[in-house]
């Protein structure tokens, strides 16, 4: 065999080796972050309840227009509201208000306000309270006998979310009895207005929230007005959409509290004109459940 032929055979061998497959290593890093809404407040509405507690950890995985999937499941693990401006749990049946009731409007003489008794219920006019004698004219009234109920809950999220409010379990006593044939009051005699506190560091109790938050959307369907919307519009299967989310609450890097916003709920009694003596005496209560929905 000549040298020329040997060179030809060597070239053919090299060509065959170049087309041969070699073993390789394939890697595929994968990361997934789901839409998350964290709701916190109190862990109950009975004596001994605690706050602050996160009781709802909601994933926005259920498709648009559906309630989110709560990883802290069960009604026993629901989040309950706290007294607005504090972290005091609201006990069931109590009137939540940080304002002392002054029942008199339009007094002509006498000191305004009520002095609350040490053993009375805060924000509720009772026999332990006292007020000064007052003068009256044609416009003086006592339409302040019923206070507003104010409550709050907190939300932090990495995605936009909606909120629906559902009213149920209306119970009245005395002249407000809802079981009689023709009750004088109903869901329409309680109105709800809402507001949000966001974008600024705010201290409630032991927590300073909101420094790294932003307003996550807009209120809708009447609750954005001072007059509010009657609870009678919130008694359907899912209730009423009250908040339309457009962005996450988290505006910049921070802790859960720093990225949280506070939703404030104000309930007012009366048919739009407030309480009047002609309505009588009694108590009226309802349950309002706020649920996180996928936008």
């Amino acid at each position: 065999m000549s040298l020329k032929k040997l060179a030809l055979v060597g070239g053919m061998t090299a060509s065959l080796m170049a087309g041969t497959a070699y073993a390789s290593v394939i890697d595929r890093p994968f990361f997934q972050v789901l839409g998350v809404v964290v709701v916190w407040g109190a862990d109950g509405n009975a004596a001994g309840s605690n706050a602050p507690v996160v009781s709802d950890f909601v994933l926005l995985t259920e498709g648009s227009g559906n309630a989110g999937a709560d990883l802290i499941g069960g009604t026993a693990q629901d989040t309950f509201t706290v007294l607005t401006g504090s972290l005091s749990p609201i006990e069931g049946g109590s009137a939540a208000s940080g304002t002392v009731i002054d029942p008199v409007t339009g007094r002509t003489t006498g000191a305004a306000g009520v002095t609350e008794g040490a053993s009375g219920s805060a924000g509720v006019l009772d026999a332990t309270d006292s007020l000064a004698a007052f003068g009256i004219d044609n416009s003086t009234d006592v339409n302040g006998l019923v206070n507003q109920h104010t409550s709050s809950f907190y939300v932090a999220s990495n995605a936009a979310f909606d909120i629906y409010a559902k009213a149920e379990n209306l119970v009245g006593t005395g002249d407000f009895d809802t079981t009689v044939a023709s009750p004088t009051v109903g869901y329409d005699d309680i109105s709800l207005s809402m507001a949000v506190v966001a974008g600024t560091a705010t201290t409630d109790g032991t927590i300073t929230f909101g420094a790294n938050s932003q307003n996550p959307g807009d209120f809708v369907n009447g609750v954005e007005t001072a007059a509010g919307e009657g609870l009678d519009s919130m008694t359907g299967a899912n209730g009423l959409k009250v908040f339309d989310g457009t962005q996450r609450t988290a505006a910049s890097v921070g802790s859960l509290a720093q990225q949280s916003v506070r939703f404030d709920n104000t309930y007012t009694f009366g048919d739009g004109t407030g309480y009047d003596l002609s309505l009588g005496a009694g108590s009226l209560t309802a349950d309002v459940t706020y649920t996180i929905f996928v936008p």
Side-chain angles (χ1 to χ4, degrees), residues 65-78:
N66 293 293
D70 185 7
L71 298 188
I72 307 177
T75 55
Q77 299 299 323
D78 284 338

Side-chain angles (χ1 to χ4, degrees), residues 79-253:
T79 299
F80 291 80
T81 55
V82 295
L83 180 64
T84 298
S86 76
L87 290 176
S88 300
I90 296 173
E91 296 185 13
S94 67
S97 175
T99 304
V100 178
I101 296 175
D102 183 355
V104 183
T105 59
R107 56 166 59 83
T108 59
T109 61
V114 171
T115 301
E116 287 203 293
S119 60
S121 300
V124 179
L125 194 66
D126 55 39
T128 67
D129 301 332
S130 61
L131 68 160
F134 58 91
I136 70 169
D137 60 17
N138 289 330
S139 65
T140 307
D141 207 345
V142 288
N143 51 15
L145 277 171
V146 179
N147 65 337
Q148 291 181 325
H149 177 108
T150 60
S151 62
S152 301
F153 60 92
Y154 303 81
V155 176
S157 79
N158 66 351
F161 57 91
D162 293 340
I163 300 178
Y164 282 65
K166 178 177 174 60
E168 55 191 344
N169 301 328
L170 185 72
V171 177
T173 64
D175 292 321
F176 306 152
D177 187 354
T178 56
T179 64
V180 297
S182 299
T184 58
V185 296
Y187 284 108
D188 58 330
D189 290 287
I190 304 175
S191 63
L192 166 66
S193 60
M194 298 183 70
V196 65
V197 176
T200 184
T202 304
T203 300
D204 287 348
T206 59
I207 295 288
T208 299
F209 73 92
N212 303 96
S213 71
Q214 60 188 351
N215 190 337
D218 301 296
F219 295 102
V220 294
N221 292 326
V223 301
E224 67 270 36
T225 67
E229 177 68 16
L231 296 192
D232 55 316
S233 65
M234 305 175 192
T235 57
N238 290 329
L240 179 72
K241 182 178 180 179
V242 293
F243 185 76
D244 182 32
T246 57
Q247 60 184 353
R248 59 183 174 269
T249 70
S252 59
V253 175

